[in-house]
Amino acid sequence: MEYRRLSHSNLLVSQLCLGTMTWGKQNSQRDAFEQLDFAINHGINFINTSDMAQASFERSHHGESERILGQYLKQKGKRHDLIIASKTIAPLENNHHSPPLNWQNIHQSVDDSLQRLQIDAIDLYQVHWPDRNCNIHGQFSYQQQDEHEKLTPIIDTLEALSDLVDAGKIRYIGVSNETAWGLMKYLQLAEKHELHKIISIQNPYNLLNRSFDISMSEISHRENLPLLAYSPLAFGVLTGKYLNNPTPKNTRLNLFKQYNRYSHHQIAIQATQAYVDLAHSFSLTPTQMALAFVNSQPFVASNIIGATQLSQLESNIDSLRYTITPELMQAIDETNQTYRIPCL
């Protein structure tokens, strides 16, 4: 396992990060404990969770992954061996009950997360998505809003997060599902007002969604701001398991229809088939190639993997054994030219 320092911090994170999206819904606490034991035994020290219901927006499951992780830390006593990242949610069009990203709500969110996690401080605390109208979560183009748009100014959010760093409740701050404009705004405001700087961005990145390459990768390089890549298998689509059976029982896309953006459109299906065939032609499994591709990108500090079964987690971790040769990278890029960002 390789470990990489997140710039502007002393956090040394494993190249693979264990995601907790399936916990509390698809996986029980016992399953989660087995995943954690397996991941830690294979060198993973970075755990990514959230204050929301990970696999669904059901209020009854909010905070469940944090609670499960907190129980593990209490029982196993491995707090100092792990780097823990969590998030706070913001309002969405289909999620009006979420609080705005203002000072009061962010402070309450952190206090609640600390209680569930049963720890004194969160290593990396991230804004789950922007509190404004922008093109994220599969939206292709930005839609201009009128002057009555409801949003929380980024400066308000950044001041609240900086206060929490100063209070010792969180160590570092990051953002997730951000745009290029939002990312630069966070950086500019931190410098202008002498506030704490964000140290990472967690956005989707996979063979079907390379939108990060277009403008965000330059920001990542020039501002020394690494990517924590989530959904490297495009919700499992890049394994190829949905090609001949669109909705296998108990899979995420069967249980949660809102995640079908990687398998719904014909061009996405064609692109997936092309990548599956390419992997086989290089004697790799589709999973190995898809994860090895993300692992190889210079702007990726950690690749966030997740699984419902230990065999899947083992296969994901095994991706570190494989490298993308120049010949394979050329073939991947040629396929990407044929299917230019089929999904977002």
Side-chain angles (χ1 to χ4, degrees):
M1 182 69 65
E2 180 182 336
Y3 299 88
R4 299 167 176 175
R5 186 174 303 281
L6 296 184
S7 304
H8 314 291
S9 82
N10 64 358
L11 300 181
L12 197 63
V13 301
S14 49
Q15 187 177 2
L16 295 179
C17 171
L18 179 63
T20 63
M21 192 172 192
T22 61
W23 298 2
K25 185 68 175 181
Q26 293 173 271
N27 284 120
S28 66
Q29 178 171 299
R30 180 178 178 178
D31 296 333
F33 279 24
E34 290 178 348
Q35 289 182 17
L36 283 161
D37 284 339
F38 189 88
I40 292 169
N41 288 337
H42 285 79
I44 290 178
N45 73 343
F46 194 20
I47 313 297
N48 183 66
T49 186
S50 170
D51 68 343
M52 68 172 285
Q54 291 290 73
S56 70
F57 288 109
E58 298 174 23
R59 292 292 294 176
S60 60
H61 289 87
H62 275 210
E64 187 65 5
S65 63
E66 287 183 326
R67 186 198 65 77
I68 291 173
L69 179 55
Q71 288 296 314
Y72 181 86
L73 296 173
K74 180 180 179 181
Q75 293 184 28
K76 302 284 186 171
K78 294 182 179 291
R79 172 64 185 102
H80 298 295
D81 299 328
L82 300 176
I83 294 172
I84 297 173
S86 193
K87 308 182 194 74
T88 183
I89 57 175
L92 271 181
E93 183 178 348
N94 62 346
N95 199 25
H96 293 292
H97 54 258
S98 298
L101 290 174
N102 58 28
W103 192 96
Q104 179 179 352
N105 289 324
I106 289 177
H107 275 251
Q108 185 63 57
S109 180
V110 168
D111 287 341
D112 291 344
S113 290
L114 288 172
Q115 184 176 25
R116 288 188 291 263
L117 290 165
Q118 303 186 64
I119 59 178
D120 295 325
I122 298 169
D123 298 307
L124 176 63
Y125 197 68
Q126 304 153 102
V127 176
H128 209 143
W129 52 72
D131 187 359
R132 65 180 191 276
N133 295 305
C134 57
N135 52 329
I136 60 170
H137 295 131
Q139 182 177 329
F140 182 75
S141 60
Y142 172 68
Q143 301 297 319
Q144 295 187 33
Q145 304 294 321
D146 60 28
E147 66 274 14
H148 302 296
E149 176 188 6
K150 293 182 179 180
L151 55 82
T152 301
I154 288 177
I155 184 62
D156 292 0
T157 301
L158 188 57
E159 285 177 341
L161 293 169
S162 293
D163 286 346
L164 288 160
V165 175
D166 292 337
K169 293 184 177 182
I170 58 179
R171 298 177 63 194
Y172 300 99
I173 59 178
V175 292
S176 180
N177 295 300
E178 255 301 354
T179 66
W181 180 87
L183 200 57
M184 290 307 300
K185 203 67 176 177
Y186 270 100
L187 296 173
Q188 292 166 357
L189 289 170
E191 182 176 2
K192 179 179 179 180
H193 298 280
E194 298 184 341
L195 298 170
H196 289 280
K197 181 180 181 180
I198 58 173
I199 67 166
S200 63
I201 176 170
Q202 183 179 144
N203 271 26
Y205 188 74
N206 55 62
L207 289 170
L208 295 178
N209 181 359
R210 294 181 60 177
S211 56
F212 193 90
D213 289 335
I214 297 174
S215 59
M216 301 289 276
S217 58
E218 181 181 5
I219 298 175
S220 176
H221 168 67
R222 297 191 184 280
E223 299 295 335
N224 213 1
L225 196 67
L227 172 67
L228 308 178
Y230 81 79
S231 197
L233 292 176
F235 302 131
V237 170
L238 283 167
T239 66
K241 65 184 178 183
Y242 294 102
L243 286 173
N244 299 316
N245 183 6
T247 54
K249 187 178 180 181
N250 295 326
T251 57
R252 186 178 303 172
L253 298 191
N254 178 273
L255 295 171
F256 312 111
K257 305 301 183 184
Q258 67 267 30
Y259 294 116
N260 70 355
R261 63 179 177 267
Y262 290 113
S263 61
H264 182 64
H265 299 294
Q266 189 62 35
I267 189 172
I269 297 172
Q270 293 172 358
T272 300
Q273 185 67 67
Y275 284 119
V276 167
D277 293 342
L278 179 60
H280 290 153
S281 72
F282 277 80
S283 300
L284 296 171
T285 68
T287 299
Q288 289 166 348
M289 187 183 80
L291 292 177
F293 167 75
V294 176
N295 295 341
S296 71
Q297 296 300 84
F299 46 77
V300 173
S302 192
N303 185 359
I304 304 173
I305 58 173
T308 55
Q309 301 173 25
L310 277 182
S311 59
Q312 294 172 326
L313 183 57
E314 182 177 9
S315 176
N316 291 348
I317 295 175
D318 191 55
S319 68
L320 293 175
R321 296 176 51 228
Y322 302 93
T323 58
I324 301 295
T325 64
E327 294 78 16
L328 177 54
M329 183 60 78
Q330 180 179 348
I332 287 174
D333 286 339
E334 288 173 354
T335 305
N336 180 57
Q337 290 298 317
T338 302
Y339 304 99
R340 293 294 300 273
I341 314 180
C343 305
L344 292 173

